[in-house]
Amino acid sequence: KNEVEQSPQNLTAQEGEFITINCSYSVGISALHWLQQHPGGGIVSLFMLSSGKKKHGRLIATINIQEKHSSLHITASHPRDSAVYICAVNPYSGGGADGLTFGKGTHLIIQP
Amino acid sequence: DTGVSQNPRHKITKRGQNVTFRCDPISEHNRLYWYRQTLGQGPEFLTYFQNEAQLEKSRLLSDRFSAERPKGSFSTLEIQRTEQGDSAMYLCASSWGTDYGYTFGSGTRLTVV
């Protein structure tokens, strides 16, 4: 079982819909990241969270540390939001420096 | 500084050849990470540097793989005697540390034929 699980794996929605992507993890973490990857490989960091909620434009990310769960929401979705959204965590290693552990990503397609 | 730069963007090589990739991180970042991503999967951690010191290596990094970060600036990832299973996207990222966000490069896509 992956340490980071995302759902759904694939999501197709109509323009304007409210989108939710979920991430659950099974290890203690110091931070959780939401990343966006477009075709061709480039990865953009959207959010880094250790508690609560962050908002940037139409994107909202929340995290519940006790439940080991995070969600990424997109309001008023647009075709340009089509991408793979990846959840990644910094496993807490007591001051160590582990790299990120990634989920497999959610492939989002927003149709006009 | 325009971000993390990786070269080349694409590399096609014959099985058994050696390849080397380069990553130029954001100059102020002391940490540099290499990840590998195969089709349909999330990236997997390979190795990480703090300044010039290679502090951690994944068990995914076989003896054919070596990474360096001389002078704590750019980094190179070399794969010797490439195999078809090495075909993947190799991603580099840099940061100030785990309390800070990461900046990723666009990756080097390796195809071993």
Side-chain angles (χ1 to χ4, degrees):
Chain A
K1 187 180 189 297
N2 275 356
E3 291 178 333
V4 180
E5 296 279 352
Q6 286 185 237
S7 63
Q9 284 188 299
N10 297 284
L11 178 57
T12 299
Q14 295 298 311
E15 182 173 357
E17 286 190 39
F18 181 82
I19 303 299
T20 296
I21 299 170
N22 295 300
C23 175
S24 296
Y25 53 92
S26 57
V27 295
I29 67 169
S30 57
L32 181 143
H33 303 254
W34 281 103
L35 309 166
Q36 181 191 56
Q37 186 171 32
H38 283 284
I43 291 179
V44 175
S45 179
L46 299 175
F47 294 104
M48 177 177 157
L49 295 161
S50 54
S51 65
K53 175 180 174 178
K54 286 189 176 180
K55 184 177 190 293
H56 183 78
R58 295 181 294 106
L59 301 178
I60 303 166
T62 63
I63 188 169
N64 185 319
I65 296 293
Q66 287 74 25
E67 294 186 2
K68 290 187 166 62
H69 181 269
S70 175
S71 293
L72 176 68
H73 305 286
I74 305 175
T75 62
S77 58
H78 190 275
R80 65 175 174 266
D81 297 326
S82 299
V84 177
Y85 292 84
I86 302 173
C87 172
V89 300
N90 289 105
Y92 183 68
S93 55
D98 293 345
L100 292 172
T101 299
F102 293 80
K104 291 187 177 182
T106 294
H107 189 192
L108 174 66
I109 297 173
I110 304 296
Q111 295 178 333
Chain B
D1 199 334
T2 56
V4 178
S5 176
Q6 289 189 247
N7 290 288
R9 291 295 304 273
H10 304 275
K11 177 72 176 178
I12 300 174
T13 191
K14 290 184 178 179
R15 188 161 50 97
Q17 297 293 306
N18 299 344
V19 294
T20 299
F21 312 139
R22 176 176 170 131
C23 172
D24 287 89
I26 291 177
S27 55
E28 297 86 4
H29 287 177
N30 59 354
R31 295 191 177 194
L32 185 149
Y33 301 81
W34 284 100
Y35 296 91
R36 180 173 69 188
Q37 185 177 26
T38 53
L39 201 61
Q41 302 295 316
E44 296 172 298
F45 171 74
L46 292 180
T47 188
Y48 125 88
F49 292 84
Q50 182 161 316
N51 300 313
E52 68 275 9
Q54 188 175 18
L55 296 188
E56 188 169 349
K57 291 169 61 173
S58 163
R59 61 182 178 276
L60 293 174
L61 216 64
S62 76
D63 291 344
R64 297 184 298 105
F65 288 70
S66 62
E68 294 183 341
R69 193 184 181 196
K71 303 177 184 177
S73 56
F74 71 92
S75 176
T76 57
L77 178 67
E78 181 183 15
I79 309 174
Q80 296 181 325
R81 304 180 303 282
T82 52
E83 302 173 356
Q84 286 190 318
D86 297 331
S87 296
M89 174 74 83
Y90 290 84
L91 292 162
C92 175
S94 69
S95 79
W96 266 119
T98 54
D99 292 337
Y100 301 87
Y102 293 72
T103 302
F104 284 83
S106 296
T108 294
R109 183 169 295 283
L110 173 66
T111 303
V112 181
V113 297

